[in-house]
Amino acid sequence: MDWIVQTLRANPSLAVFLTIGIGFLVGQLKYKAFSLGTVTSVLLVGVVVGQLNIPIPGPLKDVFFLMFLFAIGYSVGPQFFQALRGDGLKQVLFAVVLCVMCLVVTWGVSVIMGYNVGEALGLLAGTQTMSAALGAGTDTLASIPGTPEQKKAWVDIMPVCYAVTYVFGTIGSAYLLANLGPAMLGGIKKVKAETVELEKKMNEGSVNSDPNYINAMRPVVFRAYKATADFFAGGKTIADIEQYLLGQGRRLFVERVRSNGTIIEPGDVKTVNPGDEIVLSGRREFIIGDEQWIGPEVNDAALLDFPAEQLDITVSSKGAARKTVDQIRSMKSMYGVSIKSIKRSGVSIPVLSKVEVKAGDVITIVGLAREVNEAAPQLGFADRRSTKTDLIFVGLGIFLGGIIGSLALHFGSVPVSLSTSGGALIMGLILGWLRSKHPTFGRIPQPAVWLMNNLGLNMFIAVIGITSGPSFISGLKEVGFLLFFMGVICTSVPLIMGVLIGHKLFKFPAAINLGCCAGGRTTTASLGAIQDALGSSIPAMGYTVTYAIGNTLLILWGVVIVILMA
């Protein structure tokens, strides 16, 4: 045992990776619907490992934290700037109001309870589930008055307050928005009925008349049928067949035909006659069902043996941005191509006819290779799968952001700056937005963004836990369990007020209102709970814009609350 302890002390990086591994393992454990989550688990495991009194070099956590903040900015940048100058301004304003309430309530509680700077910062980060605020605030601590002993005490108490309040910050937010929220808006039955009507309204269009919501992640399929329906009597052209299917609300395409035992490409087909076999492509919901409209499905391996391509497109073309799904489907270049999914800031949004596609959205399209390649340039940049990350873009972006963030303005004797962490976040926002406009540079594959987000943040949290471990127990005794109840107030009041303001002042539909509240508080767990409660993904339409704003402001509030409490 002594050998292990001495090895960890001599090689602190091993202690950090031990904390990460066990923390992620504990974070995956669930009891019914309860889970600590990855970040809290990593922090608590770090506290346990920290009991071995392991010194951690200072620069380690800063390097990973800057990487995390840049990745966050890169992810939400396109949506952030799009919202500031588009029709998302209403949601932007709501997110600002909600975030200001989160700051003011937390600051007010801290002043009333006489909390110090570290306690207030930990309370903010935990109750608003914004772990990154700890890092942003820690950078600012160096620039405010205080003795080294005081600042060390503040840094040591932060993770204690964070851990005590984070659990309700996560679970309580999900409960409030998924259960109390609908009750405040007229009851769950009323909210569900309103959401169904909103789905129908958003899905009305000339191309897609299906009135029900279909999960955007359901796949596009290719299936073969024997043409036996009465419609085919006398022979029909490909155009006749596709128009016939469209008239039945089925946007499908004829991709191949077998006639008299010979496989023929659509361009060479004159007519399809009774008994011929055809391959149809399209979204699954347009194909499944009664086969009497065309004929029985056949298992013809040779007929279905042709390459189909799935391609992610970053929307950047003026001809596609700000158009609805219905309008994009009607584009001539979209013949034979189906939209499988749409992601905005990494969040899937429903593929409904009246959903507006924005620059920076990632559309996944499926079709024959030649059809997909024809459609891609009309939509934007074809983001073909690659494992390469533009590290020039990442390295110089973080460097420039840190330089800008380190510049300070002096108000009296107090220097105020974004800090290097705030600068990295802002630069990530700017470069992420530029990437959406000019997708030929600055590529960071989604798995790499995930790694920068999760490893960057949790490395930082692991170091915080390990270094504060020796004083964690005494700190818990110092703040007492009253802090937990103060955390309940700081979490609940802004969300309850947010639901009322969204309903009364902003006049959001109920599902959009709840999604906006979840996004402004950047609580993905709450979004999932709301969608499960309503049986719909419509709340995601209110989540993406407010998430981009909330993610930025709540991190910067770590700087602001330190200045306020100083």
Side-chain angles (χ1 to χ4, degrees), residues 16-71:
V16 175
F17 281 108
L18 175 66
T19 301
I20 291 289
I22 297 178
F24 269 73
L25 177 63
V26 174
Q28 293 176 0
L29 301 178
K30 286 187 177 182
Y31 176 73
K32 295 183 179 179
F34 174 76
S35 171
L36 281 175
T38 300
V39 177
T40 305
S41 299
V42 168
L43 175 64
L44 295 179
V45 172
V47 168
V48 173
V49 174
Q51 302 307 309
L52 301 177
N53 196 21
I54 300 171
I56 305 289
L60 179 65
K61 66 181 176 66
D62 296 333
V63 168
F64 281 97
F65 188 62
L66 291 176
M67 183 174 67
F68 159 74
L69 289 174
F70 182 82

Side-chain angles (χ1 to χ4, degrees), residues 25 27 60 110 175 254-255 287 308 315 334 402 432 498 535 561:
L25 177 63
L60 179 65
S110 298
Y175 176 81
V254 178
E255 302 290 4
I287 289 184
V315 176
M334 288 294 287
I561 199 165

Side-chain angles (χ1 to χ4, degrees), residues 204-270:
E204 293 173 355
S206 61
V207 175
N208 178 11
S209 59
D210 178 13
N212 298 308
Y213 166 72
I214 298 296
N215 189 317
M217 292 302 290
R218 294 186 71 173
V220 174
V221 295
F222 295 79
R223 297 169 77 161
Y225 296 88
K226 183 181 285 291
T228 60
D230 293 342
F231 166 78
F232 293 98
K236 299 293 180 181
T237 65
I238 299 296
D240 291 337
I241 297 171
E242 291 176 347
Q243 189 60 41
Y244 164 70
L245 296 173
L246 189 62
Q248 298 189 22
R250 302 176 186 271
R251 185 176 183 269
L252 301 171
F253 302 96
V254 178
E255 302 290 4
R256 253 183 168 190
V257 176
R258 183 191 287 277
S259 181
N260 298 320
T262 302
I263 296 177
I264 311 171
E265 298 300 324
D268 299 324
V269 176
K270 293 182 178 180

Side-chain angles (χ1 to χ4, degrees), residues 88-109:
L89 282 175
K90 192 175 178 182
Q91 292 186 9
V92 170
L93 180 58
F94 175 83
V96 172
V97 171
L98 180 62
C99 289
V100 168
M101 287 193 295
C102 292
L103 174 65
V104 170
V105 171
T106 306
W107 176 54
V109 167

